[in-house]
Amino acid sequence: MASATTNPTAATKPTLLTDLASSVSRVPSNFVRSLSDRPNLQDVQSTDGSSIPLIDLQDLDDPNRSLTIRKIGDACRKYGFFQVMNHGVPEEVVQKMVKVSSEFFRLPESERTKSYSDDPTKTTRLSTSFNVKTEKVANWRDFLRLHCHPLEDYIPEWPTNPPCFREDGGEYCKKMRELSLRLLEAISESLGLEKDYINKALGKHGQHMAINYYPPCPEPELTYGLPGHADPNVITLLLQDDVPGLQALNEGKWLAVNPVPNTFTVNIGDQIQVISNDRYKSVLHRAVVNSEKERMSIPTFYCPSPDAVIGPAPDLIDPHHPALYRNFAYSEYYHKFWNRGLSKETCVDMFKADH
Ligand code: OGA
Ligand code: NI
């Protein structure tokens, strides 16, 4: 089974990390980053999360709406990140999702690997690292990735073990979709667009979810859970447990985005960067690991449907703000994202309009 000396050329199924991690006292060499590409954890700006704006979504429904929309717009411009409280997703739904997710990663490996695939086009799959087919250095992460909209199309592919996985996961996805749609309205308005502009730009819409599992790591300075990347989708709503690990790049420095109970961390993805014609930036972020505790995070990736054609909103183009991107089908974007490997050059640069 798990062995620290897998041969990547011979292996058809790369070793999952979850079991391996508990059996090693050093980081295996295929996870070790070069000296210039390490987390440098002592340089990270540590905060209690308070430097990333915390926005109360209750205020979206009352006379404070325009003020709240302004706060969201400011956060998108300045950080590309914000946290939301009073978000309307019932605590019980969140707790069930967390519970069933940690139960999944506690199943015997033989049970978990029923969902294993290294093919990024698979709509339900358990995998490890980022893209084991294209990357040179592995990441300290296993993940289960699920498509979840339209839910009835995908739920028949989901794991049936733990037995309540489909029910609890499905309920969570429905609530997260409602929250995503509310946030997209607010973001549209904050750009001065019609409330439903982004909604209409996404075709039939898509929604994916990951359950990221980061085991404790004996040498967290040498590797990443996820290296710096920008998310390819529209917006990401991240549920973090109580273990820190997420960091966002802000003014050239990595800023810890530490967990705040009962909130979600929202970040702008590449498609909003394009639609907003660069008014909002899809910010690089990463996940680091630690030697003490396992960490779990559950991002909801709200996205266009593959056939949706994305481009800068016409109302945000004028002689002073020429269109910075060409129009493209989201399927083209998504394919490029998964096949180029995570790298510091963001994928969105490949879609720049040439002047
Ligand atoms: C991601 C991501 C951050 C985290 O899955 O795209 O950025 O804290 N995750 O797990
Ligand atoms: Ni991300």
Side-chain angles (χ1 to χ4, degrees):
M1 251 217 345
S3 147
T5 53
T6 45
N7 174 351
T9 52
T12 50
K13 268 193 180 188
T15 313
L16 287 166
L17 178 64
T18 302
D19 288 13
L20 169 70
S22 60
S23 71
V24 295
S25 56
R26 307 284 313 261
V27 166
S29 59
N30 57 318
F31 291 88
V32 176
R33 296 267 156 184
S34 67
L35 272 173
S36 61
D37 182 27
R38 292 188 183 171
N40 292 318
L41 296 172
Q42 70 287 348
D43 288 347
V44 172
Q45 312 240 136
S46 190
T47 63
D48 53 4
S50 59
S51 56
I52 298 289
L54 175 58
I55 294 173
D56 189 339
L57 293 188
Q58 211 141 56
D59 293 342
L60 272 182
D61 299 325
D62 68 15
N64 291 332
R65 183 171 176 90
S66 60
L67 178 65
T68 309
I69 285 180
R70 200 158 344 122
K71 284 188 196 161
I72 290 176
D74 288 346
C76 290
R77 246 185 316 275
K78 222 170 141 199
Y79 296 97
F81 267 82
F82 54 97
Q83 319 220 30
V84 294
M85 60 186 276
N86 294 323
H87 43 63
V89 181
E91 211 174 309
E92 190 201 354
V93 172
V94 173
Q95 277 166 2
K96 283 186 174 170
M97 183 67 219
V98 170
K99 182 161 180 277
V100 81
S101 301
S102 52
E103 283 168 6
F104 177 83
F105 280 97
R106 293 208 188 329
L107 292 171
E109 189 167 284
S110 58
E111 183 62 28
R112 264 179 285 130
T113 47
K114 288 178 181 165
S115 307
Y116 182 83
S117 169
D118 61 11
D119 175 1
T121 64
K122 277 283 267 281
T123 49
T124 301
R125 65 186 188 114
L126 175 72
S127 195
T128 188
S129 192
F130 171 68
N131 184 353
V132 293
K133 282 185 161 167
T134 56
E135 68 204 2
K136 296 198 178 67
V137 186
N139 304 303
W140 203 261
R141 170 182 83 142
D142 282 345
F143 64 98
L144 178 64
R145 221 183 139 97
L146 311 149
H147 284 218
C148 20
H149 178 74
L151 191 57
E152 59 280 10
D153 288 1
Y154 297 111
I155 215 166
E157 305 175 355
W158 288 13
T160 50
N161 193 5
C164 51
F165 188 89
R166 290 182 179 182
E167 191 181 333
D168 293 349
E171 210 42 51
Y172 181 77
C173 286
K174 282 190 237 163
K175 295 291 181 197
M176 293 310 282
R177 178 169 142 81
E178 288 171 20
L179 175 57
S180 304
L181 294 173
R182 282 174 75 210
L183 288 169
L184 290 177
E185 286 186 351
I187 292 169
S188 292
E189 282 183 60
S190 76
L191 286 164
L193 301 169
E194 291 295 324
K195 195 174 171 171
D196 61 358
Y197 182 87
I198 297 175
N199 186 321
K200 285 189 174 153
L202 306 183
K204 295 187 284 296
H205 292 209
Q207 183 183 346
H208 306 173
M209 172 166 69
I211 303 170
N212 292 320
Y213 179 72
Y214 305 103
C217 175
E219 295 171 293
E221 287 281 356
L222 302 184
T223 192
Y224 289 108
L226 268 177
H229 66 281
D231 288 348
N233 47 291
V234 180
I235 47 171
T236 303
L237 283 59
L238 184 77
L239 170 62
Q240 320 191 47
D241 66 9
D242 56 358
V243 180
L246 174 65
Q247 302 175 348
L249 195 62
N250 184 244
E251 297 179 347
K253 285 221 162 205
W254 289 102
L255 191 65
V257 186
N258 289 340
V260 179
N262 304 317
T263 67
F264 294 102
T265 304
V266 181
N267 68 281
I268 294 301
D270 292 349
Q271 304 313 308
I272 297 263
Q273 178 168 330
V274 171
I275 290 169
S276 76
N277 204 24
D278 267 6
R279 283 167 179 74
Y280 296 166
K281 284 276 170 51
S282 172
V283 165
L284 290 178
H285 55 283
R286 64 187 192 178
V288 298
V289 290
N290 74 86
S291 57
E292 308 274 299
K293 287 185 173 168
E294 63 180 18
R295 175 169 182 264
M296 216 175 56
S297 74
I298 306 177
T300 289
F301 302 108
Y302 208 78
C303 35
S305 49
D307 61 339
V309 175
I310 304 292
D315 281 359
L316 302 178
I317 301 171
D318 61 44
H320 298 292
H321 303 90
L324 296 171
Y325 302 95
R326 66 173 174 86
N327 290 354
F328 52 83
Y330 186 59
S331 54
E332 183 191 351
Y333 197 95
Y334 199 65
H335 180 80
K336 283 224 168 79
F337 175 81
W338 277 98
N339 289 293
R340 113 218 119 99
L342 284 185
S343 71
K344 299 220 163 105
E345 299 76 53
T346 73
C347 188
V348 83
D349 293 338
M350 298 164 83
F351 293 82
K352 286 247 142 103
D354 26 59
H355 290 288

